[in-house]
Amino acid sequence: MSAPILSVENVSKRFGGVVANDAVSLAVPEGAIIGLIGPNGSGKSTLFGSIVGFHPVDGGSVRFRGEEITRYRVPKIARMGLVRTFQQTHIYGQMSCLANMLISIPQRQERFLASFRRPKGEEIERAESLLASVGLWEKRQLAAGELSFGQQKLLEFAMALMCEPRLLLLDEPTAGINPTLINGLVAQLRRANAELGITLLVIEHNMRVIMNLADHLYCMAHGRILAEGDAEAIRADQRVIDAYLGAQ
Amino acid sequence: MSGARDWWLMAALLCVGIVAPFLFPALVAQFAFLWLMVVFALSWDVMGGQMGYNSFGNILFFGIGCYTTAVVQRDFGFDYFAGLGAGLGLSGLIGVGAALLIGRAILGLRGHYFAIGTLGLGIAAAEIAGGWHYIGAGAGMVTPVFPGGVDTRNLFFYGLLFALAGSCFIFLRALYQCRFGMAINAIRDNEDKAEAMGLHTLRYKITAWCVAAFFLALAGGLAGNMIGFIDPRDVAFAGATYGVWMVLMAVLGGKGTLWGPVLGAAIFHLVQELFWTYLLGWQRVALGGLIVLIVVFYPQGIMGWLRERRAGHAVRDGEAQA
Amino acid sequence: MIANLELLAGYPVLGLDLILNGLLIGAVFALAAYGMALVWGVMNIINIVQGELVILGGYIAWAAVGAGVPPLLCVPLAAFALGLLGWGLYGTVIRRIIERDLFISILATFGMSILLQQLMNQVFGADVRTVDSGFGTLSLMGGMVTVAQVKLFAFGLALLTGVGLWLFLSRARLGQAIRATAQNPRAARVLGIDTDRTYAATYALNAALCGAAGSLVVMAWTIHPYIGLQYTVRAFMIVIVAGLGNVAGVVFSGLGLGALENLAGFVLGAEFQVAFVFLLMVLVLIVRNLILSRRRSYLR
Ligand SMILES: Nc1ncnc2c1ncn2[C@@H]1O[C@H](COP(=O)(O)OP(=O)(O)OP(=O)(O)O)[C@@H](O)[C@H]1O
Ligand SMILES: [Mg+2]
């Protein structure tokens, strides 16, 4: 594997008395698909927030493509090509699905004056084909807020792809998605990874999906990294089994 | 709203705008005020409707325009038209400058904190103007006398305000069709997401605020001259009248739509003229009651109501076909 | 302005006078602010008509005194009348804007404030009004510091009302229902609390507080139909500084605001005192927001 595109070192985050992340370290190699699992409330979503600058961390460092980004703010980190999706869907409710896609083009080299042009034909094409790939093409003129939760989840995923990130953090992409669609979604993720070269870090509760998808897995519990390894190793790890059983 | 219908409506409005003062010569001043109201509602809606930043202090820029133009006319020794032109130019500049400066600080506030913060700004401006002797303090300023008869004067300002309203509409229409329009809509719908996707949110917010400020400052320069007398609290920084009307007109017509503010301004102007003519002394009581009624029962405005009705029809049609 | 500063530096006792008088009015601000915090916290409504309720309380006290009621009785009278009005306002308007967008509640209560302003102007006239409470003036430090006794009385009564309110909220059944509803309306409903009635009581209580504050204002200072918004802004600012549900904080920021405002009015000139209040509010908002933004958060 190549050099890590993202390396998290000893990141801690407290909310009042709750220690949501406790000296968490992990590395995401360029081009890989990495899984992040753990019982409810183990601090996975909080770690995403810590990485993308959603809240200031209490300690530790985050490096993206060799650059120290621990103190950067969300928009700047996003423009560097590190984008996350939300567990609770975040979309632009009153705008049409197509507009949701069109506003999600990469902002990396976006000049200020460029915001005073209309969307280009190729952008519209790309937006529509991405919408089609998640099965939302028929809904493209519908206000995004009218979509069901699962559809919003798919839309948010398509928006993330539209943004062409280098590293995409997905927070439970299959939650609320119809089981028959999940296979398609997994194929999409693979394709984004292989064809577009997007590195993926995926939080997932669906073990079948994540064991299948990820090259390498981290398991969190009580704000700490409990274990890491490939699917086999994680499946066999007694601590992981205990964590899940203990939580239930 | 489809493009073709937009153009038809705009052409029709253009005709009405040109013909009206000759059909009803007695009402030219009223019509001029109507266009002023259109500028108010349109420029408020950039922030309030399209971006979700409900400002109660946009009157600030109107007042800046009033005073800047009047001061240029008083102190620069130009003749009337040159003075007016220079004054308007400077008003636009200072308005935008003020928006840039204040915007950095105040656009970090969100939701109701922004609304009340801007309300405070507008009133503070009125109080400062009311105590500042350079601009006449509480006694206000009188603008120079128009070189010509009353009718010519009215027609002159009518033309300018009509042109301002028209260019404001066309400019905003174009703006809303670019990526900029989408970006400010995105900020309205979910600012956290917009940030997470890397949009330059602060930059867009400040730009929108500057656009509103520019048109309002020009409107202020013109309106101050048309009224002829600039009172700090009742004309320039008239938060309790113009300042609230802006919001109300946009809400009445339909926030966040292109035609809503225009429609809202037209209807509201009529109502307001009626109140101020027939209910003098009680006009604000009636207006306050109207605000409560509109906000409580029709918060989506006329355009929103029309759209809901259409959507309802579509659903029923769909069921009929099925 | 510089001259005023020099005067102040030369005669610190003058500053004492200003601060003392400011503290006294600050207690009355705190009363209105406490009502605002209550409505905001419990019903999630920013009550822009707050200041008009204060002024209306003042007018009712003024009218009652005119009709021969002794001034001291006017305080409970105004509170009671405003409480009734608050109940009525809740039933007609406020209940319809609860749980709606905050913009809607701001605009609706703003409409009510415009309505009340002119209504008061028509009913009570446009003159500045005050009530002679029959108290004398207290002279301290050889006449350098003077305090009208009625201001002391207003101060004491405001604090007393605050304590009473705190006791009510922590002890009385209705008070506990109000606090429970503020915490979690849905859970309160499940527990059998009639939230609609609780809201009505909260709003009426708030209006009564405003009425009491207004009657104190008209005895110790003056009122005018169009100055209500200043009281709204002061209340808002105090709540922002103190936070919701912090009685001591509200009292201290109220007193602080009163003193600061009085000093600023002297230094900048009386014509800029109102501007100072409003700019201070904007400043408080911006600074609080900046502090939060260091934690990547914002005022909400
Ligand atoms: N903004 C916040 N304020 C206070 N506590 C928080 C906040 N966000 C998260 N927490 C707490 O931090 C802990 C970790 O939460 P987090 O959302 O990261 O868990 P998670 O692993 O994503 O769980 P799930 O699988 O259920 O999504 C929880 O105990 C949660 O209550
Ligand atoms: Mg989570």
Side-chain angles (χ1 to χ4, degrees):
Chain A
M1 286 201 193
S2 49
I5 184 170
L6 173 80
S7 58
V8 176
E9 272 156 36
N10 292 321
V11 163
S12 300
K13 176 69 193 170
R14 277 187 310 277
F15 292 112
V18 181
V19 184
N21 286 166
D22 186 5
V24 174
S25 300
L26 56 78
V28 178
E30 178 121 39
I33 303 182
I34 304 294
L36 182 58
I37 61 172
N40 291 120
S42 55
K44 306 181 296 294
S45 300
T46 304
L47 181 62
F48 271 18
S50 303
I51 292 173
V52 301
F54 195 68
H55 44 235
V57 297
D58 297 323
S61 97
V62 182
R63 299 170 71 80
F64 179 61
R65 306 176 77 220
E67 192 171 344
E68 176 77 38
I69 60 166
T70 323
R71 299 193 162 276
Y72 289 1
R73 302 259 162 154
V74 172
K76 181 164 184 190
I77 292 175
R79 284 194 290 274
M80 292 171 69
L82 171 46
V83 168
R84 60 102 48 110
T85 65
F86 291 86
Q87 184 171 1
Q88 249 65 45
T89 56
H90 279 229
I91 40 102
Y92 309 122
Q94 294 181 48
M95 296 165 68
S96 71
C97 295
L98 187 60
N100 268 269
M101 297 294 291
L102 290 175
I103 195 59
S104 303
I105 62 163
Q107 300 289 317
R108 242 162 286 165
Q109 322 84 351
E110 181 85 344
R111 307 285 294 272
F112 180 55
L113 285 180
S115 58
F116 298 101
R117 63 167 173 79
R118 296 188 184 191
K120 292 185 202 136
E122 71 229 42
E123 286 165 6
I124 297 178
E125 264 168 41
R126 206 174 119 64
E128 292 199 336
S129 81
L130 274 171
L131 277 177
S133 72
V134 294
L136 288 175
W137 189 80
E138 282 82 11
K139 310 268 182 195
R140 65 195 182 286
Q141 297 299 354
L142 194 71
E146 314 265 306
L147 297 176
S148 74
F149 176 77
Q151 287 172 322
Q152 290 185 9
K153 205 92 201 178
L154 291 169
L155 175 65
E156 199 182 0
F157 174 62
M159 285 159 70
L161 291 188
M162 187 80 188
C163 192
E164 296 174 3
R166 295 196 167 95
L167 170 59
L168 178 56
L169 312 186
L170 292 164
D171 201 339
E172 301 189 18
T174 69
I177 305 275
N178 175 351
T180 53
L181 268 180
I182 288 185
N183 288 338
L185 193 66
V186 170
Q188 281 266 336
L189 288 177
R190 282 234 168 78
R191 201 154 355 114
N193 179 253
E195 289 168 17
L196 306 175
I198 300 177
T199 309
L200 296 172
L201 176 59
V202 186
I203 295 179
E204 192 47 74
H205 281 303
N206 186 329
M207 287 303 151
R208 188 180 59 80
V209 167
I210 197 68
M211 296 287 170
N212 230 317
L213 185 67
D215 315 324
H216 191 87
L217 287 145
Y218 287 88
C219 176
M220 284 185 78
H222 302 297
R224 300 211 183 114
I225 298 283
L226 194 63
E228 63 168 303
D230 59 14
E232 287 306 314
I234 288 289
R235 233 193 302 255
D237 196 309
Q238 190 56 41
R239 289 168 305 176
V240 176
I241 297 168
D242 288 346
Y244 271 91
L245 288 179
Q248 271 151 22
Chain B
M1 189 82 30
S2 65
R5 188 156 39 154
D6 262 18
W7 287 111
W8 279 114
L9 275 170
M10 277 153 71
L13 265 188
L14 185 68
C15 297
V16 170
I18 292 172
V19 173
F22 301 101
L23 277 183
F24 306 99
L27 295 178
V28 174
Q30 312 295 332
F31 286 141
F33 265 100
L34 171 62
W35 295 120
L36 179 64
M37 295 296 145
V38 171
V39 176
F40 279 165
L42 278 172
S43 62
W44 185 83
D45 200 54
V46 180
M47 299 278 296
Q50 300 282 347
M51 203 169 78
Y53 273 68
N54 299 302
S55 163
F56 284 94
N58 275 9
I59 191 70
L60 177 69
F61 304 114
F62 178 79
I64 288 178
C66 282
Y67 277 114
T68 310
T69 308
V71 166
V72 170
Q73 287 174 308
R74 183 188 69 186
D75 294 350
F76 284 29
F78 293 132
D79 72 5
Y80 186 83
F81 294 104
L84 184 63
L88 287 174
L90 197 62
S91 296
L93 275 179
I94 294 188
V96 170
L100 274 174
L101 218 65
I102 302 169
R104 276 211 153 264
I106 207 164
L107 282 165
L109 298 171
R110 293 195 191 180
H112 43 286
Y113 292 99
F114 178 78
I116 293 180
T118 48
L119 179 69
L121 271 185
I123 294 172
E127 292 297 326
I128 291 172
W132 190 7
H133 290 285
Y134 175 65
I135 54 172
M141 284 181 78
V142 178
T143 53
V145 182
F146 182 80
V150 176
D151 289 342
T152 337
R153 177 175 180 280
N154 281 344
L155 208 57
F156 175 72
F157 284 109
Y158 173 88
L160 286 181
L161 280 168
F162 178 48
L164 184 67
S167 43
C168 183
F169 182 87
I170 291 172
F171 180 80
L172 291 184
R173 184 175 182 276
L175 199 64
Y176 295 158
Q177 286 174 349
C178 331
R179 301 183 41 75
F180 183 86
M182 272 190 241
I184 58 177
N185 285 167
I187 291 171
R188 170 192 66 197
D189 286 359
N190 194 334
E191 190 167 343
D192 284 337
K193 177 68 174 173
E195 284 189 351
M197 297 298 279
L199 292 184
H200 292 273
T201 47
L202 185 62
R203 199 190 265 177
Y204 289 121
K205 290 195 282 188
I206 292 179
T207 312
W209 180 244
C210 288
V211 169
F214 178 75
F215 284 106
L216 279 172
L218 292 190
L222 288 174
N225 267 271
M226 187 174 67
I227 296 167
F229 168 66
I230 302 172
D231 183 277
R233 293 182 188 83
D234 291 338
V235 177
F237 300 106
T241 50
Y242 302 153
V244 187
W245 295 356
M246 300 181 186
V247 187
L248 196 61
M249 291 185 289
V251 171
L252 176 65
K255 276 171 68 167
T257 60
L258 182 63
W259 285 98
V262 181
L263 193 64
I267 295 175
F268 178 81
H269 186 58
L270 188 72
V271 172
Q272 176 258 325
E273 283 291 329
L274 291 178
F275 282 1
W276 256 248
T277 315
Y278 294 108
L279 296 174
L280 200 62
W282 297 92
Q283 77 275 31
R284 294 196 189 178
V285 174
L287 181 71
L290 184 72
I291 294 179
V292 173
L293 280 182
I294 292 176
V295 171
V296 170
F297 293 106
Y298 298 99
Q300 77 279 49
I302 298 170
M303 295 300 283
W305 179 73
L306 283 177
R307 193 185 303 153
E308 267 170 32
R309 246 181 52 139
R310 208 173 320 130
H313 278 307
V315 168
R316 248 169 282 136
D317 293 349
E319 281 167 2
Q321 279 169 13
Chain C
M1 191 180 132
I2 305 291
N4 288 341
L5 270 177
E6 278 170 1
L7 195 60
L8 210 53
Y11 299 93
V13 66
L14 195 59
L16 197 66
D17 183 71
L18 289 168
I19 290 176
L20 196 60
N21 277 294
L23 288 177
L24 294 183
I25 195 171
V28 180
F29 296 163
L31 211 53
Y34 199 77
M36 177 175 258
L38 203 60
V39 167
W40 192 346
V42 175
M43 307 159 78
N44 202 21
I45 283 179
I46 298 180
N47 193 36
I48 304 289
V49 70
Q50 193 82 349
E52 275 69 34
L53 296 180
V54 172
I55 304 302
L56 189 59
Y59 275 117
I60 286 174
W62 172 77
V65 168
V69 179
L72 288 191
L73 260 184
C74 290
V75 180
L77 187 73
F80 182 71
L82 263 287
L84 278 185
L85 176 73
W87 193 282
L89 284 179
Y90 176 81
T92 46
V93 180
I94 304 294
R95 69 183 307 167
R96 295 176 211 279
I97 54 174
I98 268 182
E99 288 170 13
R100 298 267 286 273
D101 194 342
L102 261 167
F103 170 67
I104 287 185
S105 67
I106 289 181
L107 199 50
T109 50
F110 203 1
M112 289 159 68
S113 116
I114 294 176
L115 188 154
L116 271 184
Q117 282 171 8
Q118 202 175 33
L119 197 64
M120 290 190 291
N121 191 49
Q122 289 291 0
V123 176
F124 301 109
D127 297 332
V128 173
R129 304 283 187 197
T130 183
V131 163
D132 182 9
S133 54
F135 285 108
T137 302
L138 211 65
S139 268
L140 305 170
M141 302 196 172
M144 285 302 284
V145 176
T146 59
V147 178
Q149 279 171 357
V150 62
K151 293 188 184 174
L152 280 175
F153 167 73
F155 180 80
L157 209 60
L159 288 190
L160 211 64
T161 315
V163 172
L165 188 70
W166 179 71
L167 282 177
F168 169 75
L169 285 179
S170 53
R171 299 286 156 78
R173 261 187 84 81
L174 184 58
Q176 286 170 346
I178 288 177
R179 283 182 24 216
T181 312
Q183 297 261 322
N184 187 342
R186 210 174 302 154
R189 229 166 284 154
V190 172
L191 291 176
I193 292 173
D194 182 347
T195 48
D196 192 49
R197 261 193 49 196
T198 315
Y199 287 145
T202 309
Y203 200 80
L205 186 65
N206 166 48
L209 279 176
C210 290
S215 59
L216 296 176
V217 169
V218 76
M219 277 189 255
W221 294 274
T222 58
I223 58 169
H224 180 267
Y226 289 103
I227 58 165
L229 196 56
Q230 295 173 24
Y231 284 88
T232 304
V233 164
R234 287 178 180 124
F236 180 77
M237 183 157 43
I238 292 169
V239 175
I240 306 253
V241 172
L244 298 172
N246 176 357
V247 187
V250 166
V251 172
F252 284 116
S253 0
L255 298 181
L257 174 65
L260 201 59
E261 194 182 302
N262 239 14
L263 276 177
F266 178 77
V267 173
L268 301 173
E271 69 268 34
F272 290 121
Q273 181 164 343
V274 178
F276 172 80
V277 173
F278 284 85
L279 281 182
L280 186 66
M281 175 194 70
V282 177
L283 207 69
V284 164
L285 279 175
I286 291 176
V287 168
R288 285 224 48 186
N289 205 50
L290 272 182
I291 292 171
L292 282 174
S293 90
R294 293 172 62 94
R295 283 190 269 136
R296 319 271 167 94
S297 181
Y298 52 89
L299 276 172
R300 57 179 119 206

